Amino acid sequence: MRAWHVWRKRLAAAAVLGSAGLLLTMNTALAFTNLQKNSRGPEVLQVQKCLKTLGYSIPELDGVFGNSTYRAVMAFQRSNKIKITGVVDKKTYNALQVARRNFELKGGLEGMADGDASSDEDSWQEARGSAVNVPESQPFLLRDNVPNVLRTARKYIGVPYKFGGDTPKAFDCSGYLQYVFAQHGMNLPRTADLQFKLGRSVAAGRLEAGDLVFFSTYEPGASHCGIYLGNGEFIHASSSKGVRVDKLSDDYWKAKFYGGKHIVK
């Protein structure tokens, strides 16, 4: 009988704690505030950590909802069939928590079990770790090295596109450029808008093979990028067809052209 009273007290205590936890969860849900560009604080940091754990590109865990976080959120929303807004609303936040828990239960990305994927990832981490940051506003690519860089760039034609992708499993435009140049010891910034700060501005008619080209696509400013191949062609990670070669004179790209950057010296 005494044991029964002890267990009854424990059950009652558990019920109280459970109710308190439920109430806390409900209050948190009711008090949820959307996180969006320029938001700051521990909630943003939590989202950034979650996205980084899931494999999305978050260069800096700083609690500031900037362009990289915005793009990673959109990539997550696209992958999870959530309306793509770049805003962390309650639905997106809950989906992030579920995805993180599932990730932790599975012990990491299933794709990493693949030998080739692991090899690519190891190679990328090694190259990125040894690459040197390139200077802004001045050329940095040796002319003699241009053929090697372009050869590497062409090697990945056909690799699919993925927003936030920066390995040969899948690339986005700026992740592709960063990867290609890292194979040759040069560390470029991760996003197109930051890559646009590299080199010197040059008119389309004066581009050299190896220079960078930028386009204004899904948002104002430099939001897409590629490597100029010469003869009016450039190579890039297209959102519709993956890594491919296109012409600057194509109607779409001609209308979206934002600027060229001369990086060859």
Side-chain angles (χ1 to χ4, degrees):
M1 182 65 71
R2 183 176 179 182
W4 162 244
H5 285 301
V6 171
W7 277 108
R8 186 167 63 179
K9 287 181 179 179
R10 290 179 178 175
L11 286 170
V16 170
L17 290 173
S19 298
L22 178 61
L23 182 61
L24 178 60
T25 301
M26 290 175 64
N27 286 339
T28 301
L30 290 172
F32 186 86
T33 300
N34 288 354
L35 302 175
Q36 54 196 341
K37 270 192 172 182
N38 299 320
S39 294
R40 295 169 178 264
E43 295 83 3
V44 175
L45 180 60
Q46 183 181 8
V47 167
Q48 289 175 326
K49 288 180 177 179
C50 193
L51 287 165
K52 194 173 183 70
T53 296
L54 294 172
Y56 294 91
S57 177
I58 302 290
E60 190 173 1
L61 299 173
D62 56 5
V64 178
F65 202 125
N67 286 333
S68 60
T69 303
Y70 174 72
R71 294 188 178 102
V73 169
M74 287 199 297
F76 175 81
Q77 290 171 329
R78 180 181 289 109
S79 298
N80 289 272
K81 295 181 171 58
I82 300 171
K83 184 178 180 181
I84 302 171
T85 61
V87 174
V88 180
D89 54 13
K90 188 159 63 175
K91 182 176 182 180
T92 301
Y93 182 83
N94 289 340
L96 277 167
Q97 300 309 309
V98 171
R100 179 182 57 79
R101 284 195 294 270
N102 289 340
F103 175 91
E104 291 172 348
L105 287 172
K106 291 178 182 178
L109 293 172
E110 294 178 353
M112 288 307 184
D114 183 272
D116 291 339
S118 296
S119 176
D120 285 336
E121 184 69 15
D122 291 343
S123 174
W124 171 218
Q125 295 299 338
E126 182 179 350
R128 182 159 53 182
S130 61
V132 177
N133 290 340
V134 298
E136 288 188 4
S137 306
Q138 58 182 294
F140 56 85
L141 174 58
L142 294 175
R143 185 167 276 102
D144 289 346
N145 200 24
V146 169
N148 297 325
V149 171
L150 299 188
R151 192 177 302 113
T152 299
R154 288 182 178 276
K155 177 181 175 182
Y156 299 103
I157 288 177
V159 170
Y161 178 93
K162 179 184 177 182
F163 202 102
D166 62 357
T167 75
K169 291 183 294 182
F171 289 116
D172 67 13
C173 62
S174 55
Y176 170 62
L177 264 61
Q178 188 185 53
Y179 184 90
V180 168
F181 280 89
Q183 305 311 303
H184 298 276
M186 294 167 279
N187 184 38
L188 273 60
R190 178 59 182 85
T191 59
D193 56 338
L194 294 179
Q195 290 175 359
F196 186 69
K197 296 180 179 181
L198 302 175
R200 295 172 181 160
S201 295
V202 61
R206 301 190 65 182
L207 287 164
E208 293 185 43
D211 284 342
L212 305 182
V213 288
F214 295 86
F215 306 86
S216 183
T217 53
Y218 66 90
E219 66 178 7
S223 53
H224 187 71
C225 52
I227 305 171
Y228 187 65
L229 298 174
N231 298 318
E233 294 183 330
F234 69 101
I235 189 167
H236 64 130
S238 161
S239 61
S240 58
K241 298 181 180 179
V243 177
R244 55 175 283 142
V245 175
D246 278 304
K247 292 182 177 295
L248 290 175
S249 59
D250 289 347
D251 289 343
Y252 178 82
W253 296 113
K254 185 176 181 179
K256 298 291 185 180
F257 188 72
Y258 187 72
K261 284 306 190 81
H262 182 54
I263 63 169
V264 179
K265 66 177 184 178

